[in-house]
Amino acid sequence: MDQHNSSDSLPDIERIPDTHFKSKRQIVFERNAKSGILGLLLIWSCIILIRTISQVTHPYGNSNNVGFQLPIGNVTKQGLLKVSMENIRNGTFQPQMHSLNWFHYADTDNEDRGFYTTSMNDSYVVKSVTDQDFAEVLFHGRYFTHDGKNFTVDEIIPSPDVKQLLIRTQTVKNWRHSVFGSYFVFKIEELSFVHVGDDIALAKWSPDADNIAFVQNNDIYIYSTKTASQLRRITNDGSAEVFNGKPDWVYEEEVLSSDTALWWSPNARFISFIKIDETHVREFNIPYYVQHENDIYPEMRSIKYPKSGTPNPEVDLFVYDTKEDSTYESKISNFYENPDFLLTEVTWIDGFNLIVKTSDRSSDCLKVVAINLSTKETTISREESSEGGWWEITQNTTPLLLNRSATKQESGYIDIIPIAGFNHLVYYPVKNSSGYIKLTKGDWEVIDGPSAVDKEYGRIYFIATRKSSTERHLYYVNVNNLGEIVEVTDTSKPGLYKATFSSSARFALLSYNGPDVPYQKIIDLRSYYTDSEVEGNVIGKTLYYLEKNVKLREMLSQYDIPEKSFQQLDLGQDESGNTILVNSYEILPNDFDPKKKNYYPVFFYAYGGPNSQQVLKSFSIGFNEAIASQLNAIVVVVDGRGTGFKGKAFRSLLRDRLGKYEALDQISAASFYGAKSYVDEEKISLFGWSYGGYLTLKTLERDSGKHFKYGLSVAPVTDWRLYDSIYTERYMHTPQENAAGYEESSVHNITSFNDVNRFLLIHGTGDDNVHFQNSLKFLDLLNLNSVKNYDVHIFPDSDHAIRYHNAGTMVYDKLFEWTKHAFTGKFIK
C-alpha cells in the first residue's frame, strides 16, 4: 500500500488560503521570495540539464576530453542511417554469394555444356549454363529415412558420373577442416540408400565412380558401389598415433589446409596417401569447463601438438595399386638425414606419375620428388634453396599434358616459383626435369597458381596482382604465344575477382568481390561476341547473372557508410636508406570535419603476419565501420613489412626476427597520424587478433606508450616457443638454432607496458591453435613486474574463433565498449 499525506484524509471542504489572515507587507514579501526561489530553481534546472546532456555526450566527464563528442543518435546530417553493432551482428551488409560444382557428364558428347550441381529450394539439382531451363533433380529434401531411422542431410557429394550421391549425416566437428560422420550412397535411378559406415573421417569417389576410399579409425578402406560392400582394407596400422590418408592436427592446420591426405589417380587405379606417425609428438592437454551443466570436474582433451623445436610427426608417402592389391612405399624419408622433414603437396601428373613437394622442417630447402609407378622409382627432380627467405607451403601444382612433337606427348606441370623476387607461373615440360619455361614475369605476383587450363585454346588462366597488390584481376597466357598476357577482367576500374571454371574452361563463374557491391555472372570465354556494356569481363560474353545483390544495393542507399580510402604510406627510410612504402587504408567517420583540432581518435587494426594481407579493395562493412560510425574514430589498417604480394624482399625481412619490423611500421604509421591537426594523439589504439594480437602486444612493448596509448589483443601468441613447429620454424627456424631470435620475438619487456594508458587481453580457454597458455604466461609476467593497467576477458571453452556459448556476440561487444571507454577518457591516469 502507498504512503499518503495526512491532509488527504480531510473531509472534502473548501479551504481558505493562509494569505487571508496575513498583512499586505507579508504578502508582498512572500511573493518576492517565491519569485526568487523560482528563479533559482530555474537556474539550477538549467545547470542540471546541461550536466545531464554533458554526461550523455561525455559519459565519463573527463576534462581531458575537451571538444570531443560521441555521435548523438544513429542518423547523419544527411538523414542517412549509421552503421551500428546490431547491423554487424545480424549480417545486414553481408552479400549473397554462390558456389558451383562444375562437372562433365561422361555420357554426353565432348561439347562442354557447362554442367554444374547446386542446391535449390531444398533440392540438389543439375543445371547447365547453356540452357537455363534445364534442371535435373538428383535429390529432394533435407532429410531421409533408412531402416526406419530419420537422418539429416549435412553434405552431398555427387559421383563423377553424377549417377550416385555420397551423403554425409550425423556430422561431428573435429578440427578446423575435419569432421566425422555417417555416410550413405544414394543411387539416383533406383532411389535407394546403402549404408557405407559410421564415424568416417573422410570419403572420396574414385574417378570412374565405381569405388569410394574412406578413412575410419585412421585406416583406409575401399567400398565398392557395384557390390554395395567393403571391397578391401588398405592399411592395418591406424591408431591414435598413426594416421593413414587423414592429416593429424598440425598437418591439417598448417600444411594441407584440408581434411584430406589421400588422392586417387586419374585412371582410378592408384590411391596415394600420406602416413603420419605422431608417436614422438608431445601431447598438450586442454581442459573444458562448461560442456555439460552438471559437470563438476573439467573434461580433459589431449591433442598431439608439436611446439617449436620439439619432435615433428614422421611422414612418408605410399601408393596403393587396386589392380595388383599391393602398396608401394616411396621412401622419401631416404632423401633426408632427419625424420622431421615436411611433406607438403601431392599431385598426380597422369595415371602413373606423381609429383611430391617436400622440405626440411624450417622450409629452407625444397625437394620436388617424382614417383613413377610403372618403374616403381622415386627420384628427386628439383632441389632449390630459399636463398634467405623460406618456401611457402602451397597446393597449386597443376598437371598439363602438351604435344611436344607430332608423335609424342609429355606429362608436364605448371608451378609457381620466385622469378626476380616475385611469384610467377612456370611450366615444367617433363615431369622429372628441373628445367622450366617462364609463363609470366614482372614486379607483380600470381595468386594460388593457375585457375584453369583451356587445352583446346591453349590458355592458362590465373589471378594476379599485375595492376595493383591491393587488387585481383583475371588474366590468361597462351602457351602458343608466350610473353603476351591478356586481360580478362576490366583493369581500368578497381576490382577484386575470383573465378571457377567448367570442365573445359570454356565457361566461368566470375565473382566480383569489391570494392563496390559484389555480383556473380556466368561468362562464355570462347564467345566471339562481347558485352555491349562492360561490367567485369572485357573478354567473353555474359550469359546471365547468378547474383546481383539487388536488395543489398537498395538497402545501402539508406545508410551513410563511412568512407574508405586506399593509399601508400611513406614510413621513412629503412636501415639501408630505402624508402618504406606500405599499403594502407583509412575509414573516416560520418560527418568528418578536417578543420577540427586535436579531435579525432584513431583506431588501428592489424594482422601483420608473414605473407598475409588485410589491405584489399574488397567489399566489407563490419566492425571497423561500426567503430568509425559509432565512436567518431578514424580507422586505419596498415600492411607493414613482412606482409604478402609485394615481393620476396618485402616479406622475407621478417626471417628469424618476428615482431620487429611489423611493430616498427605500426608505430611509424601511428606517428604519421598523430601529427595530423585533426587527430587527438592521446587517443590512438591498436587492435589485433591471433597474429594481430601478438603484433598488438609487441607494438605496445616497443612503443612504451609514446604513440599507442591503448591496445586490444585477442588470442595472441606471446612466446613463439609455445606455437606449433611447422608455422613458426618456417619464419624463425628452431629455438635451438635461433635462441636469441626467439627471446627477442617474445613479449618480454614487460615494464614498458606501464607507460601505456591501458590495454585489454582476451582469450578462449579451449583454443587448440594459440593455446591459452600464451596469455597465462604473459599474465604471470605482468604480475611479476607489478603491471596493473590492463583488463582481461576470458571465454570458457571457446576455440580460436571465440564463438562458444554466445561468445561471438560478447567478444565484439566487449571490444566495442572497451574502445568507447578509452576514447571517452575513462582510462586516463
Side-chain angles (χ1 to χ4, degrees):
M1 180 179 290
D2 292 335
Q3 297 291 318
H4 294 286
N5 187 286
S6 58
S7 64
D8 291 341
S9 60
L10 294 174
D12 193 12
I13 61 174
E14 182 181 356
R15 296 188 181 174
I16 302 173
D18 292 343
T19 55
H20 180 76
F21 304 100
K22 297 178 182 178
S23 67
K24 290 182 178 180
R25 179 178 292 179
Q26 287 176 310
I27 292 171
V28 171
F29 175 79
E30 290 183 7
R31 284 177 178 171
N32 291 339
K34 287 182 177 180
S35 297
I37 291 170
L38 288 172
L40 288 172
L41 288 173
L42 182 60
I43 293 170
W44 278 107
S45 297
C46 291
I47 292 172
I48 291 170
L49 180 61
I50 291 170
R51 287 184 174 178
T52 302
I53 294 173
S54 177
Q55 286 297 317
V56 173
T57 321
H58 310 272
Y60 310 111
N62 177 32
S63 60
N64 292 326
N65 228 342
V66 176
F68 176 73
Q69 294 183 356
L70 290 179
I72 299 174
N74 203 36
V75 178
T76 64
K77 292 178 181 179
Q78 292 76 27
L80 297 173
L81 294 171
K82 298 177 183 177
V83 178
S84 69
M85 286 297 293
E86 183 61 27
N87 294 143
I88 308 310
R89 278 191 289 267
N90 63 26
T92 302
F93 308 111
Q94 188 67 34
Q96 294 292 318
M97 302 298 275
H98 310 276
S99 61
L100 302 183
N101 299 310
W102 299 97
F103 72 95
H104 179 67
Y105 258 140
D107 56 355
T108 62
D109 54 30
N110 291 326
E111 181 185 2
D112 182 3
R113 292 171 55 192
F115 287 112
Y116 63 90
T117 56
T118 188
S119 295
M120 294 177 57
N121 303 321
D122 284 341
S123 292
Y124 193 73
V125 300
V126 173
K127 298 277 291 179
S128 168
V129 300
T130 59
D131 182 0
Q132 292 190 59
D133 294 329
F134 174 81
E136 180 181 330
V137 177
L138 303 180
F139 186 85
H140 180 70
R142 298 170 55 195
Y143 310 94
F144 67 93
T145 301
H146 180 72
D147 286 346
K149 296 181 180 180
N150 295 324
F151 296 91
T152 300
V153 176
D154 295 329
E155 185 181 21
I156 295 178
I157 309 164
S159 61
D161 59 3
V162 198
K163 292 182 178 180
Q164 304 173 87
L165 303 177
L166 184 60
I167 298 178
R168 190 184 74 229
T169 183
Q170 296 180 319
T171 302
V172 177
K173 186 179 185 300
N174 186 32
W175 298 319
R176 187 190 296 263
H177 304 284
S178 58
V179 297
F180 294 95
S182 299
Y183 283 83
F184 292 82
V185 170
F186 176 67
K187 296 182 179 296
I188 297 171
E189 291 185 0
E190 301 172 13
L191 299 177
S192 63
F193 291 92
V194 180
H195 183 225
V196 177
D198 301 318
D199 295 322
I200 290 176
L202 176 73
K204 295 290 182 182
W205 284 104
S206 63
D208 59 8
D210 288 344
N211 298 309
I212 296 169
F214 69 89
V215 176
Q216 188 179 55
N217 296 323
N218 289 336
D219 272 320
I220 303 173
Y221 300 81
I222 296 180
Y223 175 88
S224 170
T225 61
K226 289 185 174 181
T227 63
S229 63
Q230 181 180 308
L231 185 63
R232 291 194 186 110
R233 180 172 181 169
I234 295 176
T235 63
N236 292 279
D237 57 350
S239 68
E241 296 181 328
V242 176
F243 293 68
N244 290 293
K246 175 190 180 303
D248 69 338
W249 184 91
V250 76
Y251 262 74
E252 177 176 324
E253 178 70 23
E254 302 292 6
V255 180
L256 301 173
S257 297
S258 76
D259 61 352
T260 302
L262 68 80
W263 303 268
W264 283 95
S265 63
N267 59 10
R269 174 173 171 175
F270 301 100
I271 300 173
S272 61
F273 64 93
I274 301 177
K275 184 186 294 289
I276 302 174
D277 187 344
E278 290 189 320
T279 301
H280 301 297
V281 178
R282 297 181 61 180
E283 292 185 0
F284 189 88
N285 295 311
I286 303 176
Y288 290 82
Y289 301 95
V290 292
Q291 296 296 297
H292 308 286
E293 184 177 354
N294 296 322
D295 285 352
I296 59 174
Y297 289 94
E299 176 186 339
M300 302 299 295
R301 300 179 190 173
S302 178
I303 182 174
K304 289 275 192 171
Y305 187 105
K307 290 181 180 284
S308 303
T310 68
N312 272 350
E314 297 180 11
V315 295
D316 219 324
L317 189 83
F318 295 77
V319 183
Y320 176 74
D321 187 337
T322 61
K323 183 178 179 180
E324 301 292 338
D325 188 22
S326 62
T327 301
Y328 173 68
E329 183 178 356
S330 68
K331 295 185 179 179
I332 294 174
S333 55
N334 289 344
F335 300 131
Y336 288 90
E337 293 182 4
N338 298 313
D340 56 5
F341 70 94
L342 308 181
L343 198 161
T344 60
E345 186 177 10
V346 179
T347 304
W348 282 97
I349 302 303
D350 57 33
F352 287 86
N353 291 277
L354 292 119
I355 290 294
V356 183
K357 286 186 178 178
T358 69
S359 75
D360 63 300
R361 67 180 291 161
S362 293
S363 301
D364 284 323
C365 180
L366 175 72
K367 293 182 181 181
V368 180
V369 177
I371 299 176
N372 187 321
L373 276 308
S374 296
T375 61
K376 299 292 192 301
E377 290 180 316
T378 301
T379 57
I380 295 179
S381 64
R382 293 160 49 196
E383 188 168 355
E384 301 174 36
S385 169
S386 63
E387 297 179 348
W390 58 80
W391 284 103
E392 198 72 41
I393 292 174
T394 60
Q395 305 292 331
N396 49 41
T397 304
T398 303
L400 179 61
L401 185 69
L402 290 180
N403 293 323
R404 306 306 298 170
S405 67
T407 59
K408 184 179 181 182
Q409 285 186 328
E410 284 288 352
S411 297
Y413 64 95
I414 304 170
D415 201 356
I416 284 186
I417 65 170
I419 295 178
F422 292 86
N423 289 336
H424 282 285
L425 294 176
V426 295
Y427 173 54
Y428 289 89
V430 181
K431 56 186 174 292
N432 58 354
S433 170
S434 60
Y436 61 82
I437 299 170
K438 294 180 185 178
L439 300 179
T440 63
K441 61 181 180 179
D443 293 349
W444 47 274
E445 300 202 310
V446 174
I447 310 298
D448 296 334
S451 301
V453 177
D454 184 338
K455 295 181 182 178
E456 183 175 341
Y457 277 48
R459 296 174 178 176
I460 300 170
Y461 292 96
F462 59 94
I463 300 287
T465 65
R466 190 168 183 244
K467 178 191 173 185
S468 166
S469 58
T470 60
E471 297 184 34
R472 303 285 188 269
H473 284 275
L474 179 63
Y475 306 85
Y476 75 76
V477 61
N478 198 303
V479 294
N480 300 314
N481 186 22
L482 293 177
E484 181 186 5
I485 294 175
V486 181
E487 297 177 355
V488 178
T489 53
D490 184 6
T491 60
S492 68
K493 299 175 183 177
L496 198 70
Y497 292 93
K498 289 183 179 180
T500 63
F501 294 79
S502 64
S503 58
S504 72
R506 171 181 175 178
F507 303 105
L509 169 62
L510 184 67
S511 299
Y512 168 82
N513 294 299
D516 199 1
V517 176
Y519 61 82
Q520 292 178 296
K521 62 195 314 194
I522 303 294
I523 58 177
D524 182 352
L525 290 163
R526 293 183 185 173
S527 173
Y528 293 106
Y529 301 97
T530 56
D531 299 335
S532 57
E533 182 178 341
V534 173
E535 184 175 26
N537 55 299
V538 293
I539 287 179
K541 182 172 180 57
T542 300
L543 300 182
Y544 60 89
Y545 284 82
L546 192 65
E547 180 63 67
K548 285 189 174 182
N549 280 299
V550 174
K551 290 183 179 179
L552 174 58
R553 191 179 295 275
E554 291 174 349
M555 186 195 58
L556 285 174
S557 65
Q558 305 171 33
Y559 285 84
D560 183 7
I561 307 300
E563 180 185 354
K564 180 188 289 186
S565 59
F566 291 79
Q567 59 194 326
Q568 277 205 330
L569 285 185
D570 182 344
L571 300 183
Q573 294 184 332
D574 63 15
E575 296 159 342
S576 301
N578 300 313
T579 301
I580 304 170
L581 287 177
V582 300
N583 291 333
S584 171
Y585 71 75
E586 66 178 12
I587 303 172
L588 299 177
N590 304 113
D591 304 322
F592 174 73
D593 183 359
K595 295 180 182 179
K596 291 181 180 292
K597 301 296 183 183
N598 303 320
Y599 186 81
Y600 290 102
V602 183
F603 181 86
F604 277 81
Y605 166 70
Y607 182 78
N611 209 35
S612 66
Q613 187 173 32
Q614 298 299 311
V615 182
L616 270 172
K617 292 183 179 178
S618 59
F619 175 87
S620 61
I621 303 173
F623 184 66
N624 286 338
E625 282 75 13
I627 290 287
S629 279
Q630 299 298 320
L631 300 186
N632 226 359
I634 300 169
V635 176
V636 179
V637 179
V638 174
D639 277 345
R641 286 171 289 177
T643 55
F645 312 104
K646 287 174 70 71
K648 180 180 177 180
F650 189 84
R651 59 179 170 264
S652 296
L653 192 68
L654 305 189
R655 194 81 201 266
D656 290 333
R657 46 193 174 187
L658 291 180
K660 177 181 178 180
Y661 294 104
E662 309 98 293
L664 285 173
D665 289 351
Q666 296 298 319
I667 292 168
S668 295
S671 175
F672 174 82
Y673 272 89
K676 292 181 179 292
S677 61
Y678 49 78
V679 166
D680 185 346
E681 62 180 351
E682 295 300 315
K683 296 177 186 172
I684 299 180
S685 68
L686 177 59
F687 160 54
W689 194 311
S690 191
Y691 197 99
Y694 163 72
L695 178 52
T696 295
L697 295 181
K698 285 300 290 182
T699 302
L700 296 182
E701 175 191 51
R702 178 174 286 274
D703 187 54
S704 297
K706 184 178 180 181
H707 300 94
F708 286 103
K709 309 300 181 181
Y710 304 97
L712 305 90
S713 175
V714 181
V717 173
T718 61
D719 186 334
W720 287 106
R721 295 174 302 170
L722 306 179
Y723 198 56
D724 78 66
S725 58
I726 293 180
Y727 179 92
T728 306
E729 293 170 13
R730 182 158 65 245
Y731 311 118
M732 291 288 293
H733 288 93
T734 66
Q736 293 87 341
E737 297 170 293
N738 185 24
Y742 273 80
E743 174 63 24
E744 186 61 29
S745 293
S746 69
V747 184
H748 63 282
N749 188 10
I750 302 303
T751 56
S752 65
F753 287 88
N754 276 318
D755 298 319
V756 180
N757 282 354
R758 201 159 190 87
F759 59 98
L760 170 66
L761 179 66
I762 291 177
H763 215 132
T765 66
D767 194 333
D768 62 328
N769 188 342
V770 180
H771 298 152
F772 185 44
Q773 176 190 27
N774 283 270
S775 285
L776 290 175
K777 281 187 170 288
F778 177 57
L779 288 170
D780 185 54
L781 291 174
L782 295 175
N783 292 339
L784 288 170
N785 289 274
S786 300
V787 177
K788 303 172 184 177
N789 56 326
Y790 63 91
D791 300 292
V792 179
H793 194 119
I794 303 304
F795 287 93
D797 294 5
S798 269
D799 62 14
H800 198 54
I802 308 186
R803 295 192 184 115
Y804 189 69
H805 279 186
N806 196 43
T809 296
M810 279 293 298
V811 65
Y812 280 102
D813 283 351
K814 180 69 176 182
L815 291 166
F816 180 86
E817 290 298 321
W818 194 94
T819 303
K820 182 171 73 172
H821 292 176
F823 289 166
T824 50
K826 186 177 181 181
F827 300 143
I828 294 294
K829 295 180 180 179

